[in-house]
Amino acid sequence: MQQRRSPLDGSALNDSASGDAEEDAQGALPNWYVIQCKGGESFRAAEHLTNQGYEVFHPVLDVKRRRQGKPVMVTEPLFPYYLFIRLDQIVSNWRPIRSTRGVLRLLTFGNTPIAVPSALVEALRAQPHRQEGIHTYFSAGEKVTITGGPFKDLEAIFQRCKGEERAIVLLNVLQRPQHLNMPLDQLRKGDA
């Protein structure tokens, strides 16, 4: 009977005595696995793995962030430091993965790579992660400072976004709270 070896480094795997053909057939079916990337290099790792011919899924979302005082949309990984790769244990060449730029390691349990259920990856692929305006720079209840208009330099409480470019804030005017509708680019995080 032939001993099974890890696709990662070729070391022997501990199998039960029943090494039947069903297990070998399952190893030939492609599964999704998780790759841990080096800090801030998941986009690089995804690009290099794709260039090597691997099927990679790198879920991202568009997030509104402040850059040089202005709100901008940036693309960020849904799971920082992680991406998914589809491989099979028999046909796929696993060795180049370890030396790919941006890749830290393949997640394993011992020497055995951890397969992710395909249903989970397919559910993630079906989600509209790239919709703009889902995630904003401000949170409800957060103190903000108004940077323009007649209320410049006054503090308010961020309530919610109204569309992609406007916000509702709560401002104390004449000892009464007032809801104001104003542009997002006229707000910055309040001083702590």
Side-chain angles (χ1 to χ4, degrees), residues 65-72 185:
R65 296 280 185 223
R66 289 244 174 203
R67 298 281 190 249
Q68 299 177 347
K70 300 203 186 265
V72 295
D185 62 357

Side-chain angles (χ1 to χ4, degrees), residues 122-190:
E122 295 310 318
L124 284 170
R125 283 185 150 176
Q127 296 297 316
H129 296 295
R130 293 206 67 139
Q131 286 184 357
E132 295 184 9
I134 292 176
H135 301 275
T136 62
Y137 181 69
F138 303 107
S139 307
E142 182 176 15
K143 284 187 179 183
V144 294
T145 302
I146 300 171
T147 61
F151 301 107
K152 184 177 180 178
D153 297 327
L154 293 179
E155 282 196 350
I157 305 293
F158 182 83
Q159 296 291 297
R160 62 185 168 87
C161 283
K162 185 173 184 180
E164 290 185 23
E165 297 179 7
R166 299 195 66 81
I168 305 291
V169 296
L170 187 61
L171 181 68
N172 197 0
V173 179
L174 299 174
Q175 305 302 320
R176 294 186 63 195
Q178 299 291 324
H179 286 92
L180 296 175
N181 182 345
M182 58 188 340
L184 272 169
D185 62 357
Q186 290 186 1
L187 300 176
R188 70 175 162 80
K189 290 197 177 220

Side-chain angles (χ1 to χ4, degrees), residues 20-189:
D20 46 43
E22 183 180 320
E23 287 182 17
D24 290 339
Q26 286 178 348
L29 297 175
N31 287 311
W32 288 100
Y33 298 92
V34 179
I35 288 185
Q36 184 178 10
C37 301
K38 295 176 183 172
E41 295 193 15
S42 60
F43 288 101
R44 174 185 283 181
E47 178 184 355
H48 285 271
L49 288 167
T50 301
N51 290 344
Q52 294 175 46
Y54 294 106
E55 183 180 352
V56 175
F57 174 52
H58 187 219
V60 295
L61 48 85
D62 290 331
V63 182
K64 193 168 280 192
R65 296 280 185 223
R66 289 244 174 203
R67 298 281 190 249
Q68 299 177 347
K70 300 203 186 265
V72 295
M73 294 302 287
V74 295
T75 301
E76 294 184 351
L78 181 63
F79 305 109
Y81 307 109
Y82 297 97
L83 54 89
F84 300 94
I85 187 167
R86 191 172 184 146
L87 302 164
D88 67 62
Q89 291 189 2
I90 295 174
V91 178
S92 296
N93 185 2
W94 295 55
R95 291 182 188 258
I97 295 171
R98 292 183 299 185
S99 60
T100 300
R101 291 184 65 156
V103 171
L104 185 61
R105 66 189 181 104
L106 193 68
L107 290 188
T108 62
F109 184 75
N111 279 339
T112 306
I114 302 169
V116 176
S118 293
L120 173 67
V121 175
E122 295 310 318
L124 284 170
R125 283 185 150 176
Q127 296 297 316
H129 296 295
R130 293 206 67 139
Q131 286 184 357
E132 295 184 9
I134 292 176
H135 301 275
T136 62
Y137 181 69
F138 303 107
S139 307
E142 182 176 15
K143 284 187 179 183
V144 294
T145 302
I146 300 171
T147 61
F151 301 107
K152 184 177 180 178
D153 297 327
L154 293 179
E155 282 196 350
I157 305 293
F158 182 83
Q159 296 291 297
R160 62 185 168 87
C161 283
K162 185 173 184 180
E164 290 185 23
E165 297 179 7
R166 299 195 66 81
I168 305 291
V169 296
L170 187 61
L171 181 68
N172 197 0
V173 179
L174 299 174
Q175 305 302 320
R176 294 186 63 195
Q178 299 291 324
H179 286 92
L180 296 175
N181 182 345
M182 58 188 340
L184 272 169
D185 62 357
Q186 290 186 1
L187 300 176
R188 70 175 162 80
K189 290 197 177 220

